[in-house]
C-alpha cells in the first residue's frame, strides 16, 4: 500500500515539470519532488460550468501528450493517496471504530464539491464509475460530517525519488486511446514496470475506463 501511494504521488508531481506541447512520448529525469499542486483546477477547459455539466472530462486527447493525459488522472489520485486536497482551518476529531485511536479530519475547501455526493460527481468527469468507487474504497480518507466534506489529515511527507518515467500512446482511434507508463525504480535501476491506461469517449466526454494503480 505504501509503495502504491508513493508511486502515484510522485508520478503526478513529476508531470508538472513536463509542460505543454511536448511530443506524444516523454521521459522525465530524476528530480526532487515539491508539494502536490492543484493544476487540474486551473486548466482552461475545466471551468465550473463544464465540470458541473460533466461535458469536458479529460478534454481533447488530440491536443494532449500521453504525460498530460495520464498526469490529470494521477494528480487526482494523489489528492486521496497523499491527502492533497486544499483544506480549511476547521477540524474535527473522530475515533476510529476499528483501532480506537483518535483521527483528525479537516474541512475540504473546494470550488467544485462540498460533500461526498458532489465529490463523486466531480470524479466521474475523469473516471468510470467503477474506477471512482475503487478509488474511494482504496483510500477511504473523505467523509461527510454534518453534511460537509472532510478529509483525514495525512502524515508528513518523506522525500522520495523515482529515477525515470516514460509515457507513450500505444493505440488511438476517434473514441479510444491506450496509453502506457514505464517506470524505473531508483533502488533497483534494472527493475522497470509497465502500466496501462485506457481512455474512451463516452456520452460526449473522455474518461479513463482502465487505470493501473498498483505499484508492485
Amino acid at each position: 500500500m505504501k509503495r502504491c501511494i508513493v508511486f502515484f504521488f510522485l508520478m503526478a508531481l513529476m508531470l508538472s515539470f513536463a509542460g505543454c506541447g511536448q511530443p506524444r512520448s516523454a521521459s522525465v529525469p530524476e528530480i526532487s519532488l515539491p508539494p502536490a499542486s492543484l493544476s487540474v483546477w486551473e486548466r482552461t477547459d475545466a471551468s465550473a460550468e463544464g465540470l458541473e455539466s460533466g461535458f469536458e472530462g479529460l478534454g481533447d486527447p488530440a491536443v494532449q501528450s500521453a504525460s498530460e493525459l495520464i498526469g490529470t488522472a494521477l494528480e487526482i489520485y494523489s489528492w486521496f493517496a497523499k491527502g492533497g486536497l486544499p483544506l480549511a482551518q476547521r477540524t474535527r476529531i473522530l475515533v476510529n471504530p476499528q483501532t480506537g485511536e483518535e483521527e483528525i479530519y479537516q474541512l475540504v475547501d473546494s470550488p467544485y464539491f462540498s460533500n461526498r455526493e458532489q465529490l463523486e460527481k466531480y470524479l466521474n468527469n475523469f473516471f468510470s464509475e467503477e474506477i471512482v468507487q475503487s478509488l474511494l474504497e482504496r483510500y477511504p480518507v473523505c467523509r461527510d460530517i454534518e453534511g460537509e466534506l472532510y478529509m483525514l489529515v495525512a502524515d508528513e511527507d518523506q522525500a522520495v525519488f523515482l529515477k525515470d518515467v516514460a509515457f507513450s500512446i500505444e493505440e488511438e482511434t476517434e473514441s479510444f486511446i491506450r496509453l502506457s507508463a514505464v517506470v524505473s525504480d531508483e533502488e533497483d535501476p534494472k527493475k522497470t514496470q509497465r502500466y496501462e491506461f485506457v481512455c474512451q469517449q463516452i456520452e460526449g466526454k473522455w474518461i479513463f475506463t482502465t487505470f493501473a494503480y498498483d505499484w508492485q
Side-chain angles (χ1 to χ4, degrees):
M1 170 69 77
K2 183 177 180 181
R3 298 193 70 186
C4 173
I5 291 174
V6 170
F7 165 64
F8 275 99
F9 174 62
L10 298 186
M11 283 180 63
L13 293 177
M14 290 170 74
L15 291 165
S16 66
F17 291 85
C20 300
Q22 292 194 358
R24 303 284 272 181
S25 178
S27 179
V28 183
E30 180 179 1
I31 56 172
S32 178
L33 300 168
S37 67
L38 291 173
S39 61
V40 171
W41 290 357
E42 299 167 0
R43 286 172 49 198
T44 57
D45 65 342
S47 64
E49 180 180 356
L51 287 174
E52 288 173 0
S53 67
F55 179 78
E56 292 291 352
L58 291 165
D60 184 2
V63 297
Q64 299 182 69
S65 68
S67 62
E68 289 168 335
L69 283 168
I70 298 174
T72 297
L74 288 177
E75 182 179 347
I76 293 172
Y77 258 88
S78 77
W79 296 351
F80 299 90
K82 300 297 293 184
L85 283 168
L87 303 174
Q89 295 299 314
R90 192 191 315 168
T91 60
R92 296 288 298 269
I93 297 178
L94 302 179
V95 176
N96 187 313
Q98 295 181 338
T99 65
E101 297 180 352
E102 290 186 342
E103 296 178 330
I104 301 175
Y105 283 81
Q106 200 160 343
L107 181 67
V108 173
D109 183 15
S110 162
Y112 298 124
F113 43 82
S114 59
N115 56 47
R116 186 182 172 93
E117 181 180 357
Q118 293 174 356
L119 170 63
E120 291 188 26
K121 183 178 179 181
Y122 175 90
L123 295 174
N124 282 325
N125 285 287
F126 304 96
F127 303 103
S128 67
E129 181 63 31
E130 293 76 14
I131 295 177
V132 169
Q133 294 306 314
S134 176
L135 170 63
L136 296 176
E137 291 173 6
R138 188 176 183 86
Y139 305 111
V141 294
C142 287
R143 61 183 299 175
D144 283 339
I145 302 177
E146 298 179 355
E148 295 181 302
L149 186 66
Y150 282 74
M151 171 169 271
L152 183 66
V153 177
D155 295 333
E156 293 184 6
D157 298 335
Q158 297 180 354
V160 185
F161 297 85
L162 285 180
K163 186 174 181 59
D164 186 75
V165 184
F167 302 93
S168 309
I169 291 179
E170 306 290 344
E171 181 182 358
E172 187 173 7
T173 69
E174 291 184 355
S175 59
F176 173 93
I177 183 166
R178 182 166 56 88
L179 311 101
S180 68
V182 177
V183 182
S184 298
D185 188 347
E186 189 190 48
E187 296 179 0
D188 183 1
K190 295 182 180 180
K191 176 184 177 182
T192 62
Q193 181 70 44
R194 183 181 180 277
Y195 299 88
E196 186 167 289
F197 311 83
V198 173
C199 291
Q200 290 180 269
Q201 189 178 36
I202 299 177
E203 298 181 353
K205 66 180 178 182
W206 286 89
I207 60 173
F208 278 98
T209 55
T210 298
F211 196 83
Y213 52 84
D214 285 320
W215 172 236
Q216 299 175 348

